[in-house]
Amino acid sequence: MKATRSILIGLVSVAAALAAGHLVAGLVSPLASPFLAVGNTAIDLTPHQLKDFAVRTFGENDKLVLLGGMAVVIAGFGALAGLVSRRSPWPGAVLAGVLGLVGVAAVLARPTTTGWSVVAPLASLVVGVAAFWLLWSQAPAEKPGRRRFLLTTAAVAAGAGVAAMGGQLLAGRVDVEASRRGITLRPREKAPEIPFDADFSREGTPSFLTPNEKFYRVDTALSVPRLRAEDWRLRVHGMVDNEMVLTYDDLLRRPLVEKTITLVCVSNEVGGPYISTSNFIGVSLSDLLKEAGVRSGADQLATRSVDGWTCGTPVETIMAPGSNALLAIGMNGEPLPLERGFPVRMVVPGLYGYVSATKWLVDMELTTFDAFDPYWAQRTWAKKAPVKTMSRIDRPKSFERVPAGRFVAAGIAWAQHTGIDRVEVRVDGGPWQQATLSTEVNVDTWRMWRVELDLKEGNHTVECRATDRKGYTQTNDRVPPIPDGATGWHSMVFTSVAG
């Protein structure tokens, strides 16, 4: 059999296998799709250094890159299965079976697996092997049989396309957007108006409130969970006096508050983009835990997302006076967007997101740090991760050409629960110059700074450092984001030119 024909058989068989699994997953559970299950398992097994590289390099497109890379690898596997089967279908059928078993193992390894979940990868296995065997048997040894082979191959490929689209439609049959549109949020306590001079956006800083569509997103979910508010339930259990099961309507009946809060991702490199601010609407998490009755010795709140991801948050941080920890259901006046955690997420100021900001929240268990290791703690990240005092330069940009003479540099700084006391800036290692700070909104949000510099023509390096109200000045010792947040002064190299 010709090599091109063999490769085509392998590629079409793999496509049919994946499409069948995706179609069945649309019926039983979108998370049971073998393709997504393998991708999620790959994320779980990937060393954090490689994860950090992906986030740094591809940003919020890291998942698309992973899925694209998986598609290439699987296509290569299919091509290999075809090439080794030019004389007999058995090698390719065995490889197709192995690929199917990998899908079964990946689905079984997911924390959300149910009894029905395994049906999807089994369908993928059976269809993949059957398609390979069928196409191989139809492959002509001589030219007269070519038309029948091409028609059969086209029919299998078309069926795979229809199955894939059907699976996608079935996975999206839950109308989550209609659920969102039916929600009206009326917080009893509204956040104070943001002062006009809370940012220096006219001089290069971000706007004080981050639009919902621009709020950073870093998580492990390859596909965004689709859970209607009407179907949402939250179980509160573990080391509590009163176990609770809450519905979305239960939250709406409670006093809703609106808090202006900055969230930061631990993956943020020095000067990184993974920091955003929103007016979050929700119910007080500390009040809810008081109602549940936290038992003595419970020092960790273990939370679980609907897709099985787990998080551990220090109870003392949540229960501290003025913690502002929320079960959030809204951002900037509207229900949470799907990508930001709809229907309900956690928001705990002062902690990096991986220990405080569970999205698509469905389970809360009061436990201890000794008894339970959440997702990232199992991968040697710090169990307690308070946000570090940091600052960033937003203007000038790296390698930007700016006019010589009087120039305004600007940026942001943050020290949650403590507040920023001052930001200092220097050029080319010269003396530190104190920047002007924007009006403070609260100690749980970022604060903007600006400074006027007198620049000569040529290349320059500008650096910044922040000092919080406890007197701590951020260190210039460079450490990477993992296991508990990056440190170091942010710097920019740029050029001043004659006007």
Side-chain angles (χ1 to χ4, degrees):
M1 187 187 301
K2 291 184 178 180
T4 52
R5 201 169 297 159
S6 300
I7 292 173
L8 180 62
I9 290 172
L11 292 176
V12 173
S13 300
V14 165
L18 293 177
H22 199 59
L23 175 63
V24 176
L27 291 169
V28 297
S29 167
L31 296 175
S33 170
F35 186 65
L36 295 179
V38 170
N40 282 316
T41 301
I43 289 175
D44 291 350
L45 297 177
T46 299
H48 69 74
Q49 295 92 340
L50 188 54
K51 286 191 181 78
D52 292 343
F53 170 79
V55 171
R56 288 196 309 271
T57 306
F58 305 112
E60 295 187 16
N61 295 316
D62 59 336
K63 299 175 184 64
L64 290 176
V65 172
L66 171 63
L67 291 173
M70 283 175 50
V72 170
V73 170
I74 293 173
F77 197 92
L80 175 63
L83 285 173
V84 299
S85 303
R86 296 177 68 180
R87 289 184 171 84
S88 168
W90 282 105
V94 169
L95 286 177
V98 169
L99 188 62
L101 290 174
V102 169
V104 172
V107 170
L108 289 174
R110 303 312 305 156
T112 54
T113 294
T114 66
W116 287 104
S117 298
V118 75
V119 176
L122 286 176
S124 190
L125 189 159
V126 171
V127 169
V129 173
F132 188 90
W133 202 275
L134 171 66
L135 294 176
W136 197 94
S137 68
Q138 295 289 313
E142 303 294 336
K143 186 174 181 180
R146 186 185 303 170
R147 177 180 175 84
R148 183 182 62 177
F149 169 73
L150 291 176
L151 288 174
T152 303
T153 303
V156 173
V162 171
M165 288 188 291
Q168 199 65 25
L169 290 172
L170 287 170
R173 67 186 183 277
V174 178
D175 196 345
V176 181
E177 285 298 342
S179 179
R180 286 186 72 246
R181 290 193 297 269
I183 296 168
T184 301
L185 301 178
R186 296 187 178 89
R188 180 179 301 180
E189 175 190 328
K190 297 204 68 174
E193 290 291 327
I194 304 300
F196 174 77
D197 54 358
D199 65 45
F200 298 126
S201 57
R202 300 166 303 284
E203 295 172 317
T205 72
S207 60
F208 191 85
L209 291 177
T210 309
N212 288 352
E213 66 276 10
K214 293 184 178 180
F215 204 96
Y216 79 86
R217 180 191 170 197
V218 178
D219 53 52
T220 63
L222 276 179
S223 61
V224 176
R226 301 180 64 84
L227 180 61
R228 298 191 315 158
E230 297 89 330
D231 302 324
W232 179 82
R233 299 290 184 273
L234 174 66
R235 183 185 176 208
V236 184
H237 60 109
M239 298 174 65
V240 295
D241 296 327
N242 307 300
E243 289 198 8
M244 306 167 66
V245 176
L246 298 171
T247 68
Y248 198 87
D249 283 342
D250 290 333
L251 296 186
L252 291 177
R253 284 190 288 266
R254 290 171 177 264
L256 295 180
V257 297
E258 185 179 47
K259 302 288 184 181
T260 309
I261 296 170
T262 294
L263 294 185
V264 190
C265 181
V266 74
S267 298
N268 219 30
E269 297 278 354
V270 173
Y274 301 121
I275 177 170
S276 302
T277 300
S278 178
N279 279 337
F280 286 99
I281 300 171
V283 302
S284 167
L285 183 53
S286 61
D287 287 350
L288 182 64
L289 294 188
K290 288 174 185 176
E291 187 176 329
V294 179
R295 292 178 184 169
S296 176
D299 59 7
Q300 179 178 213
L301 178 65
T303 52
R304 185 180 299 274
S305 167
V306 71
D307 65 357
W309 186 82
T310 55
C311 170
T313 309
V315 172
E316 63 179 351
T317 303
I318 297 170
M319 304 303 288
S323 75
N324 288 330
L326 296 175
L327 280 188
I329 61 176
M331 291 175 66
N332 292 332
E334 65 178 71
L336 292 171
L338 269 63
E339 295 83 358
R340 316 304 168 195
F342 181 84
V344 181
R345 68 174 296 164
M346 260 177 50
V347 174
V348 183
L351 300 173
Y352 287 115
Y354 81 96
V355 296
S356 68
T358 305
K359 294 186 282 191
W360 313 294
L361 176 67
V362 294
D363 189 89
M364 296 198 312
E365 179 183 3
L366 272 298
T367 182
T368 67
F369 282 104
D370 290 336
F372 177 74
D373 284 338
Y375 184 91
W376 286 115
Q378 296 172 25
R379 292 154 178 82
T380 71
W381 292 24
K383 291 188 176 183
K384 301 178 181 180
V387 174
K388 296 177 179 178
T389 298
M390 292 291 286
S391 58
R392 184 183 81 189
I393 300 165
D394 287 273
R395 184 182 187 231
K397 301 295 184 185
S398 184
F399 302 111
E400 183 179 1
R401 294 167 66 86
V402 305
R406 185 66 64 179
F407 175 78
V408 175
I412 62 175
W414 59 95
Q416 287 186 311
H417 286 342
T418 305
I420 291 294
D421 181 67
R422 66 181 183 276
V423 172
E424 297 166 294
V425 178
R426 69 177 181 181
V427 178
D428 301 330
W432 290 102
Q433 180 177 340
Q434 190 161 328
T436 299
L437 297 178
S438 65
T439 297
E440 183 179 72
V441 173
N442 65 58
V443 295
D444 286 333
T445 62
W446 54 15
R447 198 169 182 188
M448 315 302 186
W449 58 265
R450 68 181 296 279
V451 64
E452 294 186 359
L453 304 174
D454 191 10
L455 300 174
K456 297 180 180 179
E457 292 183 42
N459 297 326
H460 300 287
T461 300
V462 60
E463 300 169 287
C464 66
R465 67 182 184 186
T467 301
D468 63 31
R469 290 214 179 96
K470 291 182 178 178
Y472 171 79
T473 299
Q474 69 177 100
T475 177
N476 193 30
D477 294 336
R478 281 276 180 148
V479 301
I482 308 306
D484 63 354
T487 65
W489 297 340
H490 189 212
S491 63
M492 285 288 188
V493 177
F494 65 102
T495 302
S496 296
V497 297

